[in-house]
Amino acid sequence: MNSRWEDAVSPVIGVMLMLAITIIIAAVVSSFVSGASTQFEKTPQASLLVYCDGSGGDFNIIFEHLSGDPIRSEDLKVTTWIRDEDGTVTKHVQSDKSPRSSGITPGVRVPFVYDAQKGIVQDMEFGEAVWRPGMIAGTGNKAATAEFLGVSEEDLEKFIASDTPVEITIVHTPSGNIILQKDFVLEEA
């Protein structure tokens, strides 16, 4: 009688092993499929222009949205690098989490987005505005520009006087892709 019971144990263990392997394979396939189906954020396609404008206390940096997709400014991270005469690099990052400016309009985060019809309004600040073709973003004045670049006004004056180059990168944070990467010179218009 013992041999009869022992014969039945082997098929039961085999079935249990096959069932366990099937469950493991199903779990691996399920996790792969759910990971592969994750939606990636589409990077907006836009033609942007950056340059300096104004002089003295009205010196500012202008960003023009020439054409392309509307861009939510809350999805942008703007990084600037300035190398001074002794080789020191100042890096500054501006995002929708950055402090609001005390420069142009206290309480508005720069670069604020505006157009000729609306001017500067609270919902047009960086981090809340939708930047559409034909709209301009700007720092507004020298004090806000210095804050935007992460330097003092005195240092900004030195940089302007010596035509110091600035490297700027605008990154679309949901996709991680660069929308604009440009070098320009700090010079009065």
Side-chain angles (χ1 to χ4, degrees):
M1 272 203 183
N2 278 345
S3 69
R4 196 164 139 200
W5 288 105
E6 288 175 8
D7 288 342
V9 171
S10 182
V12 170
I13 291 175
V15 168
M16 289 175 62
L17 285 173
M18 287 179 61
L19 184 60
I21 290 171
T22 303
I23 291 171
I24 291 170
I25 290 173
V28 169
V29 169
S30 173
S31 66
F32 174 75
V33 169
S34 67
S37 68
T38 302
Q39 293 285 340
F40 290 101
E41 183 79 23
K42 180 184 169 212
T43 305
Q45 300 299 309
S47 176
L48 306 175
L49 180 64
V50 60
Y51 57 90
C52 296
D53 189 40
S55 61
D58 292 329
F59 180 81
N60 72 108
I61 298 174
I62 300 292
F63 300 88
E64 286 189 44
H65 189 319
L66 301 174
S67 64
D69 298 329
I71 305 169
R72 294 186 332 226
S73 61
E74 68 185 298
D75 292 341
L76 300 179
K77 178 176 74 170
V78 182
T79 307
T80 57
W81 294 269
I82 303 172
R83 182 182 309 271
D84 63 16
E85 292 174 352
D86 67 359
T88 303
V89 175
T90 301
K91 175 185 175 184
H92 188 260
V93 177
Q94 188 78 358
S95 72
D96 66 326
K97 306 288 189 265
S98 297
R100 288 179 163 79
S101 174
S102 58
I104 175 122
T105 304
V108 176
R109 191 176 293 112
V110 293
F112 55 88
V113 178
Y114 62 95
D115 61 25
Q117 280 71 37
K118 288 190 174 183
I120 304 167
V121 292
Q122 195 70 19
D123 66 341
M124 299 294 280
E125 74 176 324
F126 186 77
E128 297 185 17
V130 176
W131 195 15
R132 301 182 192 291
M135 296 178 87
I136 296 173
T139 54
N141 65 21
K142 190 188 319 183
T145 301
E147 285 182 34
F148 174 75
L149 295 172
V151 299
S152 68
E153 283 189 68
E154 295 78 28
D155 286 342
L156 179 58
E157 287 177 17
K158 291 177 195 172
F159 292 143
I160 294 169
S162 62
D163 293 335
T164 303
V166 175
E167 180 181 338
I168 190 160
T169 303
I170 300 177
V171 174
H172 181 250
T173 53
S175 68
N177 291 326
I178 295 173
I179 295 177
L180 174 72
Q181 186 168 17
K182 177 139 175 98
D183 292 342
F184 66 98
V185 175
L186 290 173
E187 59 186 353
E188 293 185 336

